[in-house]
């Protein structure tokens, strides 16, 4: 298009110059006058392993390199609590970011779940009580966990030598003290969620085997065949690359579930949900004992024996997969088949995940 | 000013021409519904009876539709290449929209429940959570579950589950659905209703007690379901 009005042209160049001048003069600095440069976070791309679906990243908390980095520091830092706890106190890296047990104020014993491939989870906690990862950890500031002291949190974060800059780089926040407590907690939780979404495991022997880039021993293959045929029939719930169908099932742990054992019912109030729990990932299952929502089984041998002979067929809403004809008396696995299944379950271990320096404690 | 007027004239003329030209194809939307012998399906309620006399409920219904082909009265046809994952409980998966269906008088559609052998191999479909949950394990032949139909039935005082699963290339269900409709550059809606009971009768009565509540890995049971399945959308 031809600009006919030369006057307009000259004027707009002039205005643009003035704007530019002001922009250059304005410094990106905190109240102490530190110069952190422009707020320009770098988008973070999750490295999606072959065979995985696309991860679920919410629009309101897009991942950035700076956000993931801030989240990693906060994940390991007791600065968030008034009792010395950090996320890492209950989610320990060598245990695939899980830990044994936690007893709630209500007296329920819970097995602490691992953090692995959370970017693909549509629901969190054993009963799926939290559908949004970015909201889940808000509960951690409560007395039951961090017992966070608001004033001390503001004071320590804003006086820290690194956090003001990290909050600026991740979220463009120039002065933490200008935030409300709720806003501050929200940003902390967003950053930690970004870090947790960056924790991806797709390199177990199992994952490599199904994509033809690793071999298994004959025993592991026999176990694989039990797992992935009607013989053991584990695959309907623990199949695919993620080893979870991301759904809820009653596997028949209790004949008459009460209290925490009522599972998802405690969250939805729907009688059809009594006894149902979220299918856990089996990635790194070797590292995350004890097992089941309440940690009732100490070893994988006990878990296998449960599926083999301990299923309560009359439990309400027991999954149809668990009560197939011919299996009324269990799976009927021989001792060797049980050993094969155990060896196969250990192929879910991904040491490259727990040893990935990107997830190490940076402090 | 002159050029502007000319431009407006050209735009107006082209819009006018566009309106005059009749579209030679239309849109067909297929909606999927579920019933048990004429009554709309309700999940999680023990209130249905099949021909064998099993009293049962339905908790899960997932399947694939593919090779949807529209037949004209002159014998010509229009084949689509969509492979649709359907979960009866998720309404968004129960609607398929086909743009560009050629104008004409149609007498019916054919399609498959399941995925044909050319596409029925592990990871042939995009790796969505739904597709990955439908994978049919490699040791059992690979590919995808064509259908998972699950629920509970009453059996001498207890309520065991049943899982009517079909998969593997032998078990592709062929559907021929006669229906007259015409496409004339317009929007058309077709409704297909699956009668759950048809899986368990016609031509062969299927009894959860004797045929097995669990069909996967049981080729006899699966083939019976497949033969019964050809008219699930026609009754």
């Amino acid at each position: 298009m031809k600009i006919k009005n030369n006057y307009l042209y000259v004027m707009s160049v002039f205005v643009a110059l003035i704007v530019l001048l002001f922009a250059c003069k304005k410094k990106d600095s905190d109240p102490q006058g530190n110069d952190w440069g422009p707020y320009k976070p770098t988008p973070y791309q999750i490295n999606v392993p072959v065979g995985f679906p696309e991860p679920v990243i919410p629009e309101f908390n897009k991942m950035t390199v700076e956000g993931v980095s801030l989240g990693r520091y906060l994940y390991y830092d007791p600065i968030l609590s008034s009792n010395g706890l950090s996320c890492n106190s209950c989610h320990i890296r060598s245990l695939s970011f899980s830990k044994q047990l936690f007893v709630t104020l209500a007296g329920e014993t819970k097995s602490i779940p691992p953090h692995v491939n959370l970017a693909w989870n549509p629901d969190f906690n054993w009963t799926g009580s939290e559908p949004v990862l970015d909201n889940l950890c808000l509960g951690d500031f409560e007395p039951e966990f961090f017992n966070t002291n608001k004033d001390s949190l503001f004071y320590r974060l804003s006086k820290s030598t690194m956090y003001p800059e990290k909050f600026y780089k991740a979220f463009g926040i120039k002065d933490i003290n200008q935030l409300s407590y709720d806003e501050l907690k929200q940003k902390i939780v967003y950053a930690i969620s970004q870090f947790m979404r960056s924790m991806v495991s797709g390199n177990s022997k199992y994952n490599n085997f199904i994509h033809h880039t690793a071999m298994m021993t004959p025993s592991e293959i026999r176990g694989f065949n039990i797992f992935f045929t009607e013989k053991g029939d584990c695959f309907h719930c623990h199949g695919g690359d993620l080893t979870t169908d991301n759904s809820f099932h009653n596997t028949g742990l209790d004949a008459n579930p009460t209290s925490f054992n009522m599972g998802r019912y405690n969250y939805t109030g729907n009688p059809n949900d009594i006894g149902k729990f979220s299918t856990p990932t089996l990635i790194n299952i070797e590292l995350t004992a004890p097992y089941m929502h309440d940690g009732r089984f100490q070893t994988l041998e006990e878990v296998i024996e449960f599926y083999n002979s301990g299923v309560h067929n009359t439990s309400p809403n027991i999954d149809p997969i668990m009560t197939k004809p011919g299996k009324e008396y269990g799976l009927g696995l021989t001792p060797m088949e049980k050993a094969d299944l155990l060896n196969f379950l250990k192929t879910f271990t991904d040491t490259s995940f727990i040893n990935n320096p990107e997830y190490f404690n940076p402090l | 000013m002159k050029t502007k007027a000319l431009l407006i004239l050209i735009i107006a003329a082209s819009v006018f021409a566009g309106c005059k030209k009749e579209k030679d194809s239309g849109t067909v939307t297929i909606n999927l519904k579920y019933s048990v012998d004429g009554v709309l399906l309700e999940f999680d309620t023990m209130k249905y009876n099949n021909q064998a006399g099993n009293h049962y409920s339905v908790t899960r219904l997932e399947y694939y539709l593919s090779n949807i082909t529209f037949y004209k009265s002159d014998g010509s046809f229009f084949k689509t290449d969509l492979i649709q994952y359907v979960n009866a409980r998720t309404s968004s998966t129960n609607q398929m929209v086909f743009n560009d269906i050629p104008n004409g008088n149609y007498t019916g559609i054919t399609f498959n429940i399941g995925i044909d052998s050319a596409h029925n191999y592990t990871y042939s479909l995009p790796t969505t959570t739904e597709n990955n949950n439908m994978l049919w394990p490699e040791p059992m032949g690979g590919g995808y579950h064509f259908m998972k139909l699950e629920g509970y039935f009453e059996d001498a005082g207890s309520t065991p589950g049943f899982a009517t699963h079909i998969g593997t290339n032998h078990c592709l269900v062929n559907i021929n659905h006669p229906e007259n409709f015409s496409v004339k550059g317009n929007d058309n809606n077709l409704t297909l209703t699956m009668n759950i009971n048809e899986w368990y009768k016609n031509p062969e009565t299927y009894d959860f007690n004797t045929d097995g509540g669990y069909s996967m890995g049981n080729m006899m049971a699966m083939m019976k379901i497949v033969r019964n399945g050809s008219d699930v959308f026609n009754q």
Side-chain angles (χ1 to χ4, degrees):
Chain A
M1 204 169 88
K2 198 176 147 202
I3 302 221
K4 288 184 179 162
N5 202 328
N6 281 325
Y7 176 70
L8 204 78
Y9 181 66
V10 171
M11 269 304 279
S12 46
V13 170
F14 187 61
V15 170
L17 272 172
I18 290 183
V19 169
L20 216 75
L21 208 75
F22 268 94
C24 291
K25 257 187 78 178
K26 199 161 151 293
K27 261 220 273 175
D28 284 309
S29 61
D30 74 337
Q32 277 72 46
N34 294 316
D35 186 357
W36 297 320
Y39 166 58
K40 210 163 158 287
T42 321
Y44 182 97
Q45 277 299 329
I46 287 191
N47 208 344
V48 180
V50 25
F52 277 45
E54 276 306 304
V56 205
I57 311 296
E59 241 358 83
F60 59 79
N61 189 17
K62 289 271 183 60
M63 293 171 72
T64 63
V65 173
E66 293 79 4
V68 170
S69 167
L70 171 62
R72 179 176 161 197
Y73 277 82
L74 293 170
Y75 185 91
Y76 282 98
D77 201 336
I79 198 170
L80 298 183
S81 76
S82 67
N83 53 16
L85 291 184
S86 64
C87 306
N88 161 60
S89 312
C90 292
H91 297 282
I92 299 169
R93 181 169 61 84
S94 59
L95 306 177
S96 198
F97 303 96
S98 78
K99 202 187 160 187
Q100 290 78 16
L101 295 175
F102 174 74
V103 182
T104 66
L105 289 178
E108 296 161 335
T109 302
K110 295 184 175 182
S111 175
I112 302 178
H115 292 162
V116 55
N117 298 334
L118 290 179
W120 285 269
N121 274 24
D123 298 283
F124 302 90
N125 291 341
W126 284 103
T127 61
S129 57
E130 180 52 72
V132 183
L133 181 62
D134 311 72
N135 290 343
L136 182 139
C137 327
L138 283 175
D140 285 314
F141 297 92
E142 299 303 311
E144 188 165 19
F145 294 92
F146 286 170
N147 195 17
T148 307
N149 179 305
K150 173 185 151 207
D151 296 331
S152 154
L153 180 67
F154 272 106
Y155 182 80
R156 289 192 283 169
L157 281 178
S158 56
K159 287 280 173 287
S160 140
T161 52
M162 67 178 174
Y163 281 118
E165 179 172 0
K166 286 196 151 294
F167 272 89
Y168 173 75
K169 293 232 157 109
F171 297 117
I173 295 166
K174 290 197 184 120
D175 182 2
I176 291 169
N177 286 315
Q178 296 303 308
L179 301 176
S180 71
Y181 185 38
D182 281 342
E183 285 167 342
L184 177 63
K185 284 193 293 188
Q186 189 62 260
K187 292 298 182 211
I188 291 171
V189 162
Y190 277 8
I192 295 179
S193 298
Q194 291 190 27
F195 173 57
M196 290 194 292
R197 288 195 174 97
S198 78
M199 297 158 115
V200 178
S201 162
N203 197 29
S204 71
K205 194 186 219 182
Y206 161 76
N207 286 97
N208 286 315
F209 177 78
I210 60 173
H211 294 291
H212 315 292
T213 50
M215 307 273 276
M216 283 194 189
T217 67
S219 170
E220 287 163 354
I221 290 178
R222 287 195 299 271
F224 176 90
N225 285 331
I226 294 168
F227 194 96
F228 279 101
T229 60
E230 69 279 16
K231 178 139 190 97
D233 205 330
C234 315
F235 65 87
H236 274 118
C237 304
H238 297 291
D241 294 77
L242 293 164
T243 69
T244 164
D245 63 352
N246 283 322
S247 186
F248 300 92
H249 305 275
N250 179 3
T251 52
L253 284 166
D254 298 293
N256 289 302
T258 54
S259 62
F260 184 38
N261 293 334
M262 292 176 93
R264 189 157 171 78
Y265 168 80
N266 291 329
Y267 168 62
T268 65
N270 180 348
N272 293 321
D273 287 333
I274 293 176
K276 289 188 187 171
F277 287 88
S278 170
T279 309
T281 177
L282 296 188
I283 297 300
N284 284 327
I285 194 68
E286 188 185 0
L287 309 176
T288 63
Y291 301 106
M292 305 301 168
H293 59 276
D294 53 0
R296 65 180 66 190
F297 300 129
Q298 301 310 310
T299 62
L300 285 174
E301 283 89 339
E302 286 177 40
V303 173
I304 290 173
E305 200 47 58
F306 158 71
Y307 282 110
N308 187 48
S309 63
V311 174
H312 294 275
N313 281 345
T314 55
S315 184
N317 309 306
I318 184 162
D319 199 274
I321 300 295
M322 304 301 299
T323 59
K324 31 191 193 226
K327 307 260 159 101
E328 292 87 346
Y329 306 105
L331 301 177
L333 300 178
T334 65
M336 179 166 131
E337 285 169 335
K338 287 186 225 172
D340 291 337
L341 187 52
L342 177 65
N343 286 336
F344 169 66
L345 291 181
K346 292 181 179 168
T347 69
F348 289 125
T349 306
D350 181 357
T351 45
S352 75
F353 171 75
I354 56 169
N355 292 327
N356 186 338
E358 285 176 35
Y359 314 142
F360 282 14
N361 186 345
L363 296 167
Chain B
M1 262 331 260
K2 243 193 213 160
T3 37
K4 215 174 186 178
L6 201 69
L7 202 73
I8 289 172
L9 205 74
I10 290 170
I11 291 173
S14 55
V15 167
F16 197 62
C19 291
K20 260 186 78 181
K21 193 168 158 283
E22 201 182 291
K23 274 185 73 190
D24 49 16
S25 66
T27 299
V28 176
T29 303
I30 297 181
N31 294 297
L32 300 163
K33 295 215 153 62
Y34 307 90
S35 74
V36 181
D37 294 338
V39 180
L40 231 51
L41 172 69
E42 205 181 309
F43 279 97
D44 303 320
T45 49
M46 183 68 79
K47 66 173 185 186
Y48 301 116
N49 294 296
N50 62 20
Q51 181 157 299
N54 306 132
H55 193 53
Y56 73 98
S57 69
V58 179
T59 57
R60 178 191 295 270
L61 175 54
E62 294 174 88
Y63 59 99
Y64 287 103
L65 286 188
S66 62
N67 287 325
I68 298 155
T69 308
F70 297 82
Y71 281 86
K72 279 188 184 172
S73 47
D74 64 6
S76 65
F77 58 86
F78 182 81
K79 188 169 174 295
T80 66
D81 54 12
L82 177 77
I83 298 176
Q84 173 86 0
Y85 163 82
V86 185
N87 183 339
R89 302 186 87 133
T90 313
S91 57
S92 58
T93 63
N94 285 276
Q95 187 171 75
M96 294 171 282
V97 180
F98 300 97
N99 298 312
D100 303 324
I101 303 295
N103 285 347
N105 293 320
Y106 287 83
T107 55
I109 59 175
T110 64
F111 53 92
N112 293 128
I113 295 175
I115 299 167
D116 61 31
S117 56
H119 301 94
N120 187 36
Y121 57 90
T122 303
Y123 294 119
S124 80
L125 302 180
T127 53
T128 63
T129 302
E130 292 76 16
N131 288 339
N132 287 10
N133 284 340
M134 292 294 270
L135 284 170
W136 190 270
E138 282 289 312
M140 299 182 79
Y144 293 86
H145 282 76
F146 294 171
M147 178 175 76
K148 294 182 184 175
L149 169 55
E150 297 176 10
Y152 299 96
F153 68 106
E154 271 176 3
D155 174 34
S158 71
T159 50
F162 71 88
T164 303
H165 290 196
I166 52 174
T168 72
N169 293 339
H170 306 285
C171 294
L172 193 64
V173 181
N174 295 306
I175 306 277
N176 183 349
H177 180 75
E179 175 150 353
N180 292 318
F181 61 97
S182 58
V183 177
K184 292 196 178 66
N186 54 344
D187 292 340
N188 302 271
N189 282 299
L190 296 183
T191 300
L192 295 174
T193 306
M194 179 194 282
N195 179 1
I196 306 297
N197 263 349
E198 283 298 328
W199 289 107
Y200 304 117
K201 67 176 180 201
N202 196 10
E204 296 160 73
T205 302
Y206 190 103
D207 187 333
F208 293 142
N209 289 303
T210 54
D211 291 294
Y214 189 78
S215 61
M216 193 165 182
N218 177 347
M219 196 45 90
M220 288 255 289
M222 289 203 295
M223 289 311 292
K224 210 168 177 179
I225 294 291
V226 169
R227 289 191 292 270
N228 287 345
S230 58
D231 54 3
V232 285
F233 280 110
N234 291 347
Q235 311 293 326

